[in-house]
Amino acid sequence: MRRAIELAKKGGGFVHPNPLVGCVVVKDGQIIAEGYHEKYGGFHAERNALTYCKTETKDALLYVTLEPCCHYGKTPPCTEIIIEKGIKKVFVGILDPNPLVAGKGVKMLQDAGIEVEVGLCEDEIREMNKVFLKYITTKRPYVIMKTAMTLDGKIAAYTGDSKWVTNEESRKMVHQLRSEMAGVIVGINTVLADDPMLTCRLEGNYHQPVRIVVDSKLRIPVDCQLVRTANKFRTIIAHADFADNTELDDDMDLARKRADLADLGCELMHCASTNGHVDINDLMIKLGAQGIDSLLLEGGGTLNAAFLEAGCVDEVWAFIAPKIIGGSESKTPVAGKGIDMMCDAIILQDIDIQNINGDILIKGKICSRG
């Protein structure tokens, strides 16, 4: 099963919004076939393993990280080929919460006389598929908030300079994470300050995330890198109502701005407004409806605070560099009003701490507030 998990991870970034699934077929103590879900719309792991197996599979054992599907979708059901190939026993990591499956796959195998055992390496597989498990049950993206700060908690100097807070190895890790998430999201202040590209810039064949800008008043410059490359990399600009937009003089200017952005390849997403700003929960619903199952939040303090206040952050990756820059005006990872009492702080659990060539990475899941 651990080999199946290793295989499953190869699909990272390419199967959204499907799960990461790996499969291993064993006969007489030897692995005779392997497969994984390689890309969205392609064969599932079991069918990839069994279709191309050159050894007789009758009475073989099959290990798969997720319950085999039993319905027709973009591909035929995996239960069908497992039964056809004469598999004797199936070891399943976790059941599939998808209502189309949800135990039905296991029952179909059992009804065909195949022995099924569920729960092997369950914790590891649930962690690997945390994105899928949230999305399939809520239709909302799994959100990782990434921050990079100095030892004294600053994300930029008082001048606004922020290149670079962390070292090259930490930045490579962030690019790897970008490639594994469906989308990367920032606020308009980050765009205006840094003019980022928000792409994965690692060498090789890597998934490029959808780039999303939360820009309530549609202030994004048409000559910024994100807009100029929108025809190459999918780019969504989420905005709210424009009643209080002081950046555009009149409706004609607004219409022209919208048309210019659309002509350059940007997708405009109108969201509900809360106090003149994009409502984060409404944004999550709309992104989820488009199949965007995961987001890397790389915002500044304002957007990070908005996501936390809306209860839309699932996990935090905090990179801490061994540097001190000081400054009462230097920016911090989370802005907003903040909490009144320490007992109301947002708590992280399942903490993991890594040393990244001198930088410290602290990862944790949002547990509760207070």
Side-chain angles (χ1 to χ4, degrees):
M1 187 62 80
R2 288 203 167 89
R3 173 58 181 162
I5 293 171
E6 185 180 333
L7 290 166
K9 291 179 179 179
K10 292 184 177 182
F14 298 100
V15 300
H16 298 292
N18 285 351
L20 298 170
V21 185
C23 176
V24 172
V25 184
V26 176
K27 189 170 183 179
D28 299 327
Q30 299 294 319
I31 292 177
I32 61 171
E34 295 182 337
Y36 68 97
H37 186 30
E38 298 175 10
K39 62 180 180 179
Y40 177 71
F43 279 168
H44 292 178
E46 305 93 306
R47 193 163 287 273
N48 269 332
L50 292 171
T51 298
Y52 305 108
C53 181
K54 294 180 170 55
T55 303
E56 172 59 51
T57 58
K58 183 173 173 55
D59 293 332
L61 308 178
L62 184 143
Y63 295 77
V64 63
T65 55
L66 185 72
E67 178 182 9
C69 66
C70 54
H71 62 285
Y72 281 88
K74 292 185 177 296
T75 60
C78 292
T79 50
E80 191 176 88
I81 193 169
I82 292 172
I83 295 169
E84 287 175 2
K85 293 291 185 177
I87 299 298
K88 179 181 179 180
K89 182 174 181 178
V90 175
F91 293 87
V92 175
I94 62 173
L95 295 178
D96 188 343
N98 185 341
L100 294 173
V101 187
K104 300 182 186 75
V106 166
K107 185 177 186 305
M108 189 170 291
L109 295 176
Q110 290 172 332
D111 289 347
I114 298 173
E115 186 181 352
V116 180
E117 183 177 325
V118 180
L120 197 58
C121 299
E122 181 175 356
D123 290 344
E124 296 161 71
I125 294 168
R126 287 192 176 279
E127 174 62 22
M128 177 178 72
N129 271 312
K130 59 194 175 187
V131 167
F132 170 75
L133 293 174
K134 178 184 179 180
Y135 181 74
I136 197 66
T137 54
T138 68
K139 294 302 179 186
R140 292 163 67 103
Y142 186 97
V143 178
I144 297 178
M145 184 179 84
K146 186 276 297 182
T147 64
M149 60 185 175
T150 60
L151 193 60
D152 53 338
K154 309 298 184 181
I155 62 174
Y158 76 92
T159 59
D161 180 60
S162 61
K163 291 183 174 56
W164 295 102
V165 174
T166 53
N167 62 39
E168 185 177 358
E169 191 171 343
S170 293
R171 298 198 299 274
K172 283 182 179 179
M173 185 176 287
V174 172
H175 281 275
Q176 176 66 42
L177 184 57
R178 282 183 184 177
S179 76
E180 295 171 0
M181 305 296 279
V184 56
I185 187 166
V186 298
I188 183 58
N189 291 334
T190 296
V191 175
L192 295 176
D194 300 336
D195 192 19
M197 275 286 287
L198 302 180
T199 53
C200 170
R201 294 191 290 278
L202 299 177
E203 294 183 3
N205 181 29
Y206 286 92
H207 159 76
Q208 292 294 345
V210 179
R211 306 177 304 177
I212 304 153
V213 180
V214 180
D215 182 9
S216 299
K217 300 178 182 180
L218 212 61
R219 294 186 291 149
I220 191 166
V222 294
D223 61 348
C224 72
Q225 291 196 93
L226 288 167
V227 174
R228 286 191 287 110
T229 57
N231 278 318
K232 183 176 181 182
F233 304 107
R234 186 181 177 193
T235 305
I236 297 174
I237 303 174
H239 63 84
D241 297 321
F242 301 104
D244 58 350
N245 191 340
T246 58
E247 301 296 324
L248 300 170
D249 293 334
D250 52 37
D251 290 342
M252 186 174 296
D253 284 347
L254 174 58
R256 186 179 303 115
K257 181 74 173 283
R258 289 173 62 93
D260 288 345
L261 291 171
D263 287 345
L264 291 166
C266 297
E267 300 175 31
L268 299 179
M269 178 178 286
H270 179 260
C271 297
S273 175
T274 299
N275 297 323
H277 299 284
V278 166
D279 183 279
I280 300 301
N281 275 293
D282 187 55
L283 174 62
M284 293 299 96
I285 292 169
K286 286 183 166 63
L287 292 174
Q290 295 202 11
I292 296 174
D293 65 358
S294 52
L295 292 173
L296 178 58
L297 172 59
E298 293 197 57
T302 300
L303 190 63
N304 289 345
F307 265 78
L308 288 167
E309 289 167 5
C312 292
V313 177
D314 297 285
E315 186 174 338
V316 175
W317 285 37
F319 290 87
I320 304 172
K323 303 174 182 177
I324 296 174
I325 60 173
S328 59
E329 300 301 317
S330 301
K331 295 182 179 181
T332 59
V334 181
K337 182 181 178 181
I339 62 167
D340 295 323
M341 302 292 292
M342 187 61 69
C343 61
D344 293 325
I346 296 171
I347 307 297
L348 300 184
Q349 62 182 3
D350 300 332
I351 302 299
D352 177 59
I353 302 175
Q354 300 176 37
N355 186 324
I356 314 296
N357 196 25
D359 289 345
I360 300 300
L361 169 60
I362 301 177
K363 297 194 288 187
K365 309 280 179 58
I366 297 288
C367 173
S368 65
R369 182 186 294 272

